[in-house]
Amino acid sequence: FKVPHPVNEPVKSYAPGSPERKELQQTYQDLKSQQLDVPMYIGSEEVRSGNKLPLTMPHDHQHVLGYFHEGDANHVTQAIEAALAAREQWANMPWQSRAAIFLKAAELLAGPWRARLNAATMLGQSKNAYQAEIDSACEMIDFLRFNAKFMTEIYAQQPESSPGIWNRLEHRPLEGFVFALTPFNFTAIAGNLPAAPAMMGNVVVWKPAYTQIYAAQFLMQLFRAAGLPDGVINLIYVDGPVAGDIIFSHRQFAGIHFTGSTVVFNSIWKTIGNNLHLYRGYPRIVGETGGKDFIVAHPSAIAKEVATGITRGAFEYQGQKCSAASRAYIPANLWPEVKQAIVDDLETFKMGSPEDFGNFINAVIDEKSFNKISKYIGSAKNDPEVEVIAGGNYDKSVGYFIEPTVLLVKDPAYVTMCEEIFGPVITIYVYEESQFEEMLEIVNTTSPYALTGSIFSRDRYAIDLATSKLLHAAGNFYINDKPTGAVVGQQPFGGARSSGTNDKAGSVFNLIRWTSTRTIKETF
Ligand code: NAD
């Protein structure tokens, strides 16, 4: 069997006056003017607990987009039961039928559902139209189309046989249910974490971040519109630890597909370890976590390219990408030109609501993030050892707005060089040109993370040196490009060290984690 050959979904430009821009603007306004009542989806039911909490816009936090029904421990149990009830029929469905459901979801999203998902991501997560398009449209579509192809590759994996002996592999789903625990920052990640295990025949309980529920409910509706049977994916809005208490002590817990912060993943891993005796088997633990992503410029690099790598890599989606550049190492010979180019570029960045398509910078996700990020900036501003090259101001009176902020430090181990801030802040250290190799050692050892990183250089020896010295410093390593923007099927994504289990989202390596293979030998 071959599925339709996947091609990456082309990114729409939303040029002024284009029909797609008009449609997106109209959908944005339509959704903004409504107040949705957002249920959980458990089995065949839309569940309304009555405990309604508001969904607000980060860029205008008094504006209520709707109310979601928060669940409790009983809803977690119900979601597990609904998943287990659906399991046998789903696992026994021919894989081609499962693939067809998700391929249909991809086509619906490429067509009539595109504007809705993009508008929801703009409204609920404060992404500009371009950032929403590459996330909730293109990347989500790519995950579904490419995963269907990876399914064919996995199911085609068969061993050798010989006359009189027929060996075969049966790529079974895991025994039990999978928990998808998803972050706020990418709609496509939120959708892929439940979809990928489901494609491989698993049943799923899905808990999104509260700040991503607005778009998550539309994804759930999309999967249902594409024909996903009841109970295969169950979407619940329950406080993380409340959900965790029940799920991680359930005998049928078979795996977790997680993306989020390192601290949460660490605690989940420990809980699972402590509860091993409760389970039937060893649960699959797949998690993508934090980053402290770097840009290193060699003295031979082109200053303007380095500056653009910094401004785009650090500030797209307000720096709230796990792959966002947040520390940069610039040689002294390039610094004056890089600095000027950064300042010039940032002057063109407008900040405000995504409703105005001209705004590059929107709001950070919520008050908690705003307070955390502004605290880092505030203490840097008060530190005589730190120079603020650009930005540094913030205001939460209407929305959670923080200016793109560039800090220059004298100490390469300064706190903002080491810790994940997850906001529009990049810290720069200027090194002596002769110290490139020593600099690489500092890059390698400064932070516990190893997600993404870039080297800018025109010198092949320097590129090769950086590639080998930084062998384990990044799961996704870029040469002469910014460290964000991985494309499904082209740059499989994931990091090691404290950045996760490196099971490479958007590749066969991830999908294969959702199978447990039986080997059968039959003798004649
Ligand atoms: P988060 O860790 O706060 O939350 C992730 C999910 O876990 C949410 O659904 C949340 O409700 C839940 N949760 C939180 N505490 C929990 C607990 N004690 N028990 C059970 N569940 C709990 O992360 P976030 O703020 O939504 O996302 C930002 C983080 O995600 C950043 O650290 C970023 O680097 C990371 N991220 C990584 C990747 C990657 O591919 N490596 C991609 C995107 C985001």
Side-chain angles (χ1 to χ4, degrees), residues 110-342:
W113 283 72
R114 189 184 202 112
R116 204 172 317 159
L117 257 301
N118 280 345
T121 301
M122 294 165 75
L123 288 157
Q125 288 143 264
S126 205
K127 286 203 173 184
N128 66 37
Y130 177 78
Q131 292 299 325
E133 166 74 4
I134 59 173
D135 167 16
S136 46
C138 300
E139 190 173 31
M140 188 68 239
I141 294 164
D142 289 352
F143 273 133
L144 298 170
R145 288 183 182 154
F146 279 82
N147 278 345
K149 174 179 167 255
F150 302 139
M151 285 171 85
T152 67
E153 292 170 7
I154 291 169
Y155 291 118
Q157 287 289 326
Q158 292 298 331
E160 294 302 323
S161 293
S162 50
I165 295 173
W166 182 18
N167 297 317
R168 45 197 196 267
L169 296 181
E170 200 178 348
H171 300 287
R172 307 166 301 180
L174 309 183
E175 191 178 17
F177 68 93
V178 171
F179 184 33
L181 189 53
T182 64
F184 80 82
N185 65 336
F186 274 89
T187 299
I189 294 177
N192 184 49
L193 296 198
M199 290 174 89
M200 299 310 291
N202 296 282
V203 288
V204 180
V205 175
W206 171 22
K207 194 212 88 61
Y210 278 13
T211 38
Q212 200 269 328
I213 288 174
Y214 191 67
Q217 49 133 1
F218 287 114
L219 280 173
M220 189 67 204
Q221 290 171 15
L222 170 74
F223 295 148
R224 284 160 72 99
L228 188 72
D230 296 336
V232 172
I233 295 176
N234 302 277
L235 175 59
I236 54 169
Y237 318 131
V238 179
D239 181 49
V242 172
D245 270 356
I246 300 200
I247 284 173
F248 301 131
S249 55
H250 199 287
R251 176 157 171 76
Q252 305 263 26
F253 170 64
I256 177 164
H257 204 188
F258 174 84
T259 296
S261 59
T262 302
V263 61
V264 170
F265 192 51
N266 287 353
S267 80
I268 287 172
W269 194 300
K270 283 182 197 150
T271 305
I272 293 172
N274 288 334
N275 289 353
L276 266 187
H277 61 286
L278 298 175
Y279 312 135
R280 188 178 268 154
Y282 294 99
R284 287 289 147 89
I285 304 180
V286 176
E288 295 300 337
T289 57
K292 188 69 194 171
D293 311 301
F294 58 83
I295 287 179
V296 188
H298 181 258
S300 67
I302 298 169
K304 274 222 155 55
E305 287 179 5
V306 176
T308 310
I310 287 174
T311 54
R312 310 286 144 166
F315 301 128
E316 291 162 343
Y317 190 39
Q318 298 77 260
Q320 298 171 115
K321 297 187 179 184
C322 47
S323 54
S326 61
R327 51 187 174 125
Y329 305 83
I330 311 296
N333 67 316
L334 293 186
W335 176 234
E337 212 188 321
V338 170
K339 179 179 169 185
Q340 192 57 50
I342 290 174

Side-chain angles (χ1 to χ4, degrees), residues 128 318 345-353 356-362 401 404:
N128 66 37
Q318 298 77 260
D345 202 16
L346 288 184
E347 272 172 15
T348 69
F349 282 19
K350 288 199 321 172
M351 183 164 76
S353 162
D356 176 347
F357 280 37
N359 287 331
F360 182 91
I361 301 284
N362 311 122
F401 289 105

Side-chain angles (χ1 to χ4, degrees), residues 93-120:
M93 183 186 268
W95 69 261
Q96 296 88 341
S97 302
R98 296 198 309 263
I101 290 168
F102 289 99
L103 285 171
K104 176 157 185 182
E107 294 321 296
L108 288 174
L109 184 50
W113 283 72
R114 189 184 202 112
R116 204 172 317 159
L117 257 301
N118 280 345

Side-chain angles (χ1 to χ4, degrees), residues 42-70:
I42 302 177
S44 61
E45 305 285 321
E46 293 187 2
V47 178
R48 291 177 169 80
S49 66
N51 185 24
K52 296 208 253 179
L53 297 177
L55 292 163
T56 54
M57 300 198 298
H59 43 279
D60 180 358
H61 44 63
Q62 294 310 302
H63 186 104
V64 176
L65 294 165
Y67 292 86
F68 69 94
H69 289 259
E70 191 188 43

